[in-house]
């Protein structure tokens, strides 16, 4: 069996670069065409963007954005960001939003492949594309922000490695605009990258005051208070639709009290900080930055109380790139195969019956927990200065540019 996998990887490695790129682009074009057609035919069907549309309309009408703990859970800035798509007719604006989401992720995968494996970037881009698509289907169809979030976190890792702190701060601020849960990775980056702090602080201040340019500044300022109040309620969600560690335990009949959940999340945050601090000390800033945010994504999936099954595309993007580079560049087929299987597992909600009903609410969290334990052990065992992931690259592989 192993010999057959090795033959497959060697076959993939031998495909001409131009052909790999054409196939990868064809996959994205066909995929985008299908999604755009479905959305254009029925813009309001199976769509998460109805809340975005309503919030955008309310913002410019001076009405409150926040109506319930499960309604609009974003900053006012997202209503502003979404305005160009809402101004267009639904049959144009909604497909265009989906195209924006898909294009951002495709670009991030290409940029990562170009930086991490310049001599094999086309093949890495192709494999990463194939591995990530299953976990994107629901987000692409529904118009959720998970795909551009995944893209921004990947791009942040790449630009931090090149010490482009202002651009990194812009990317991080955009993640916060897209979803407030991004605050955890932002704080990690601010704590562990000292030269990022000033650009990040300035960018956050600019972002914070931008909504006050509203024709009614008093209304805009009041929405911040409503946001904080709504977020406090949303932080203690009800129901059984959450796919974090607590949701996984509930699926197995274990209901942890709220105080214990909070304690576990806090302890996990401290552990994540320690692991990221050790990763940050690596002498390869590119792989260190990638691994740093990889760890942050694991924390975000397991310990954000509002993690949904669709959210795992943020982790899946990192896993897909990791699998492709490990297999095609580092030639570690065992790691590449397990990582590839994990990437496919992170798309189980799109596989239908019986896979989704049998795995819903527990499989992704359990697999991510196992990944987190494995990665933590690898970080602790890796000698100082050596890359934790995608290290020991064969001679002749140099870093690319973004």
């Amino acid at each position: 069996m192993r010999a057959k996998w090795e033959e497959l990887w060697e076959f993939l490695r031998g495909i001409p670069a131009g052909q790999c790129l054409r196939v990868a682009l064809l996959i994205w074009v066909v995929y985008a065409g299908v999604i755009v057609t479905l959305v254009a035919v029925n813009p309001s069907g199976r769509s998460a963007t109805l809340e975005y549309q309503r919030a955008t309309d309310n913002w410019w009408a001076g009405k409150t954005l926040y109506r319930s703990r499960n309604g609009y859970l974003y900053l006012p800035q997202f209503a502003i960001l979404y305005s160009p798509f809402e101004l267009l007719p639904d049959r144009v604006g909604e497909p265009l939003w989906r195209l924006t989401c898909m294009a951002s992720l495709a670009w991030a995968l290409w940029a990562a492949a170009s930086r991490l494996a310049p001599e094999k970037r086309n093949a890495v881009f192709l494999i990463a594309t194939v591995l990530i698509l299953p976990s994107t289907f629901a987000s692409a169809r529904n118009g959720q922000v998970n795909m551009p979030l995944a893209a921004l976190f990947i791009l942040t890792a790449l630009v931090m490695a090149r010490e482009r702190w202002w651009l990194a701060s812009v990317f991080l601020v955009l993640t916060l605009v897209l979803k407030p849960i991004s605050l955890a990775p932002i704080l990690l980056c601010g704590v562990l990258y000292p030269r990022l702090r000033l650009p990040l602080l300035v960018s956050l201040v600019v972002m914070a005051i931008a909504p006050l340019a509203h024709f009614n500044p008093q209304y805009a300022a009041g929405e911040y208070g409503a946001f904080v109040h709504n977020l406090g309620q949303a932080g203690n969600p009800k129901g059984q639709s959450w796919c974090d560690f607590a949701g996984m335990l509930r699926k197995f009949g274990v209901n942890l009290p709220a105080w214990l959940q909070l304690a576990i999340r806090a302890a996990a945050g401290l552990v994540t900080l320690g692991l990221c601090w050790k990763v940050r000390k690596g002498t390869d800033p590119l792989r260190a930055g990638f691994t740093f945010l990889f760890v942050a994504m694991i924390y975000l999936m397991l310990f954000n109380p509002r993690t949904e099954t669709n959210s795992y595309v943020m982790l899946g993007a990192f896993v897909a790139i990791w699998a492709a580079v490990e297999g095609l560049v580092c030639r570690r087929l065992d790691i590449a195969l397990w990582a590839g299987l994990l990437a496919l597992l992170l798309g189980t909600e799109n596989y239908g019956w019986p896979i989704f009903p049998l795995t819903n609410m527990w499989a992704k969290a359990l697999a991510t927990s196992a990944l987190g334990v494995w990665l933590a052990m690898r970080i602790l065992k890796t000698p100082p200065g050596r890359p934790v992931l995608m290290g020991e690259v064969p001679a002749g592989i140099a870093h690319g540019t973004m």
Side-chain angles (χ1 to χ4, degrees), residues 2 5-6 9 322-323 326-328 330-342 374 378 392:
R2 180 180 176 82
W5 279 113
E6 289 177 349
W9 280 108
W322 171 45
E326 290 283 9
L328 296 174
C330 303
R331 302 189 184 187
R332 283 195 287 263
L333 298 186
D334 51 348
I335 295 178
L337 290 174
W338 284 113
L341 290 173
L342 174 60
W374 177 86
R378 191 174 178 89
E392 301 175 7

Side-chain angles (χ1 to χ4, degrees), residues 165-173 197-209:
W165 306 118
W166 286 98
L167 184 55
S169 70
V170 171
F171 287 159
L172 286 172
V173 165
R197 292 171 190 168
L198 179 59
L200 186 56
L201 178 61
V202 172
S203 299
L204 287 170
V205 170
V206 171
M207 181 205 73
I209 64 177

Side-chain angles (χ1 to χ4, degrees), residues 296-309:
M297 291 304 102
I298 293 174
Y299 173 81
L300 205 57
M301 295 303 99
L302 289 177
F303 301 104
N304 164 38
R306 297 192 70 91
T307 296
E308 300 174 295
T309 55

Side-chain angles (χ1 to χ4, degrees), residues 116-137:
L116 288 163
E119 294 187 0
K120 288 290 182 181
R121 59 180 177 269
N122 292 343
V124 169
F125 179 48
L126 172 59
I127 297 302
T129 292
V130 172
L131 292 177
I132 191 59
L133 285 188
S135 63
T136 68
F137 293 151

Side-chain angles (χ1 to χ4, degrees), residues 240 244-255 358-367:
Q240 304 293 325
D244 64 333
F245 84 97
M248 174 184 66
L249 292 177
R250 279 195 297 271
K251 188 71 175 181
F252 295 132
V254 180
N255 288 287
L358 292 175
T359 60
N360 190 26
M361 295 298 123
W362 67 270
K364 291 187 181 185
L366 183 60

Side-chain angles (χ1 to χ4, degrees), residues 33-243:
V34 172
I35 295 296
V36 164
T37 300
L38 291 173
V39 175
V41 170
N42 186 11
S44 61
R46 292 185 56 192
S47 178
T49 59
L50 297 178
E51 285 291 343
Y52 308 164
Q53 296 172 22
R54 187 179 296 112
T56 299
D57 293 339
N58 287 345
W59 173 259
W60 296 116
K63 300 178 182 178
T64 185
L65 306 178
Y66 306 101
R67 299 172 294 106
S68 69
R69 72 169 67 199
N70 291 321
Y72 183 78
L73 300 175
Y74 308 86
L75 284 161
Q77 286 86 343
F78 182 70
I80 301 172
L81 181 68
Y82 197 76
S83 295
F85 303 97
E86 175 61 3
L87 289 173
L88 295 169
D90 284 353
R91 295 186 186 277
V92 177
E94 290 303 295
L96 184 59
W97 168 248
R98 269 62 166 196
L99 277 176
T100 301
C101 295
M102 289 182 282
S104 65
L105 183 55
W107 165 248
L109 293 179
W110 168 253
S114 299
R115 289 281 287 131
L116 288 163
E119 294 187 0
K120 288 290 182 181
R121 59 180 177 269
N122 292 343
V124 169
F125 179 48
L126 172 59
I127 297 302
T129 292
V130 172
L131 292 177
I132 191 59
L133 285 188
S135 63
T136 68
F137 293 151
S139 291
R141 179 64 182 89
N142 298 343
Q144 290 166 295
V145 299
N146 299 319
M147 294 175 73
L149 262 179
L152 285 168
F153 283 125
I154 290 172
L155 294 173
T156 298
L158 302 182
V159 298
M160 286 197 306
R162 298 187 63 201
E163 299 186 353
R164 300 178 64 180
W165 306 118
W166 286 98
L167 184 55
S169 70
V170 171
F171 287 159
L172 286 172
V173 165
L174 283 174
T175 67
L176 187 61
V177 171
L178 290 178
K179 254 188 183 180
I181 62 170
S182 302
L183 183 60
I186 289 174
L187 289 175
L188 278 173
C189 290
V191 169
L192 298 179
Y193 286 85
R195 294 174 63 186
L196 178 64
R197 292 171 190 168
L198 179 59
L200 186 56
L201 178 61
V202 172
S203 299
L204 287 170
V205 170
V206 171
M207 181 205 73
I209 64 177
L212 300 181
H214 191 276
F215 64 84
N216 185 349
Q218 185 176 2
Y219 155 77
E223 287 302 283
Y224 275 117
F227 166 75
V228 172
H229 174 73
N230 204 57
L231 197 64
Q233 291 185 318
N236 185 25
K238 306 299 181 184
Q240 304 293 325
S241 59
W242 312 111
C243 200

